[in-house]
């Protein structure tokens, strides 16, 4: 839970004047009707301008200097992420001008736009998001293939691919995305599908054993199942652990970011 560890450290940070922390929560959700046309860019500009106006009244030259420096760095960070298509539904940043503290994260979950300039990071909204979107295992299934995405705060932390080995009747684990198996074509593939269907119950039970062990080892707080209804429902019945959400859609061939966007959508 690397993200959770970083958040714990944020909760312990506090500075003495004149050193300040800029806390940014930015709604960048293009699905939000209020964000059409890139409204977040205006909100970012307004938030940073308000910071400049507020610090102009400060008696501290150092604070004014910090404000000028961090505004440029935040703009650079956000627009770099936009260019790299690394802005999703929400964005959070906590930073100091000297980058003694610098935490920035794009999220697949919505946030409410806020800007704070204080001696410590303002974490109220982040704590709420942490509670609403805990460490979650998202299991995406399509017959003889499974992708497991581990996410926290709508952020992808790990991705594992399982394929069914017909020779050993076991599920082989791979790290990261995988290419198509050679058995996916022609009559051989049709025969393969029939065998999977015939032995589905036994293989699903074996898969669930692996996944529940992983859930315990990794400390999953929630489990989501994604796939066609005729596969997700029987798979769900074999779990001893609670299934928090099912998404009856075939998303296995989608990119991880799209899966997260679709599954975590409210």
């Amino acid at each position: 839970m690397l993200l959770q560890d970083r958040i714990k450290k944020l909760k312990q940070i506090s500075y003495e004047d004149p050193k300040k922390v800029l806390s940014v929560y930015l709604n960048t959700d293009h699905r939000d009707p209020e964000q059409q046309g890139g409204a977040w860019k205006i909100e970012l500009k307004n938030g940073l301008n308000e910071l400049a106006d507020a610090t102009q009244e400060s008696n501290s030259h150092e604070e004014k200097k910090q404000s000028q420096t961090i505004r440029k760095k935040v703009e650079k960070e956000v627009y770099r992420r936009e260019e790299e298509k690394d802005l999703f539904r929400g964005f959070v940043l906590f930073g100091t001008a000297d980058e003694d503290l610098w935490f920035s994260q794009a999220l697949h979950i919505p946030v409410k736009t806020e800007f704070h300039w204080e001696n410590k990071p303002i974490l109220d909204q982040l704590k709420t998001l942490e509670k609403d979107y805990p460490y979650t295992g998202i299991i995406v299934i399509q017959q003889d293939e499974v992708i497991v995405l581990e996410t926290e705060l709508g952020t992808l932390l790990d991705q594992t691919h399982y394929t069914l080995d017909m020779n050993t009747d076991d599920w082989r684990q791979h790290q990261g995305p995988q290419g198509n198996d050679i058995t996916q074509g022609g009559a051989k593939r049709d025969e393969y599908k029939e065998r999977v269907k015939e032995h589905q119950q036994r293989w699903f039970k074996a898969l669930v054993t692996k996944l529940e062990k992983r859930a315990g080892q990794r400390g999953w707080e929630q489990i989501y199942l994604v796939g066609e209804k005729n596969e997700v429902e029987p798979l769900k019945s074999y779990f001893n652990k609670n299934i928090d959400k099912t998404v009856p859609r075939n998303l296995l061939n989608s990119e991880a970011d799209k899966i997260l966007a679709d599954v975590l959508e409210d």
Side-chain angles (χ1 to χ4, degrees):
M1 300 186 190
L2 299 178
L3 188 57
Q4 190 177 83
D5 291 339
R6 293 173 68 191
I7 292 172
K8 286 180 181 178
K9 291 181 180 179
L10 283 176
K11 295 175 181 177
Q12 300 170 0
I13 290 175
S14 180
Y15 297 104
E16 298 292 332
D17 282 332
K19 192 166 185 175
K20 298 286 188 176
V21 177
L22 178 61
S23 300
V24 177
Y25 296 87
L26 190 62
N27 178 0
T28 56
D29 188 359
H30 66 278
R31 304 182 185 192
D32 185 341
E34 295 183 2
Q35 290 300 317
Q36 299 303 311
W40 63 265
K41 296 179 182 180
I42 298 174
E43 293 175 348
L44 175 64
K45 182 179 179 180
N46 290 342
L48 295 178
N49 284 341
E50 288 175 8
L51 168 63
D53 292 342
T55 53
Q56 283 302 314
E57 300 177 6
S58 172
N59 294 324
S60 169
H61 174 73
E62 174 60 26
E63 183 178 354
K64 293 177 183 178
K65 183 179 177 182
Q66 289 177 48
S67 168
Q68 293 172 352
T69 300
I70 200 165
R71 286 171 59 208
K72 294 176 182 177
K73 290 185 176 182
V74 169
E75 285 185 321
K76 182 178 179 180
E77 172 80 4
V78 174
Y79 285 108
R80 175 188 65 81
R81 285 180 175 271
E82 182 196 25
E83 184 177 343
E84 296 174 0
K85 300 188 184 304
D86 190 29
L87 279 181
F88 308 122
R89 299 182 68 188
F91 174 76
V92 295
L93 183 146
F94 307 97
T96 55
D98 61 4
E99 297 186 36
D100 178 54
L101 167 63
W102 194 264
F103 173 101
S104 73
Q105 192 74 52
L107 307 176
H108 285 285
I109 55 179
V111 303
K112 178 182 177 182
T113 297
E114 296 178 9
F115 293 82
H116 302 276
W117 182 245
E118 305 288 346
N119 293 107
K120 62 182 181 180
I122 302 303
L123 303 173
D124 294 355
Q125 187 174 171
L126 190 66
K127 290 176 183 177
T128 299
L129 294 172
E130 189 179 19
K131 181 179 178 181
D132 292 342
Y133 298 91
Y135 202 82
T136 300
I138 299 175
I139 301 164
V140 187
I141 185 167
Q142 183 182 327
Q143 203 164 44
D144 58 329
E145 293 187 69
V146 173
I147 293 174
V148 177
L149 306 179
E150 297 188 25
T151 175
E152 185 178 16
L153 274 175
T155 300
L156 180 65
L157 301 182
D158 197 8
Q159 178 176 348
T160 306
H161 191 113
Y162 294 89
T163 55
L164 182 60
D165 187 331
M166 303 292 282
N167 296 318
T168 64
D169 282 354
D170 196 10
W171 293 85
R172 291 183 290 138
Q173 178 178 329
H174 318 273
Q175 288 299 126
Q178 299 294 310
N180 291 336
D181 192 275
I182 60 172
T183 60
Q184 285 186 334
K188 188 175 182 181
R189 183 61 180 172
D190 293 337
E191 178 184 343
Y192 191 65
K193 288 181 178 180
E194 285 301 314
R195 188 177 173 195
V196 169
K197 185 177 180 180
E198 180 182 352
H199 298 282
Q200 187 182 72
Q201 181 177 354
R202 176 163 54 87
W203 288 332
F204 273 10
K205 286 182 179 179
L207 176 63
V208 167
T209 298
K210 286 182 178 290
L211 295 176
E212 289 201 318
K213 181 178 180 181
R214 183 185 183 97
Q217 291 173 336
R218 299 294 189 102
W220 295 358
E221 297 175 62
Q222 291 185 336
I223 299 176
Y224 292 176
L225 293 183
V226 183
E228 297 289 356
K229 187 175 181 180
N230 62 349
E231 291 185 309
V232 167
E233 290 303 321
L235 183 65
K236 178 180 178 181
S237 68
Y238 301 134
F239 275 87
N240 292 313
K241 294 181 179 293
N242 181 59
I243 302 301
D244 298 272
K245 183 178 182 180
T246 59
V247 180
R249 293 185 60 191
N250 184 358
L251 296 175
L252 187 127
N253 294 320
S254 300
E255 295 291 331
D257 285 339
K258 174 171 174 49
I259 295 173
L260 290 180
D262 289 351
V263 172
L264 297 176
E265 185 177 8
D266 293 337

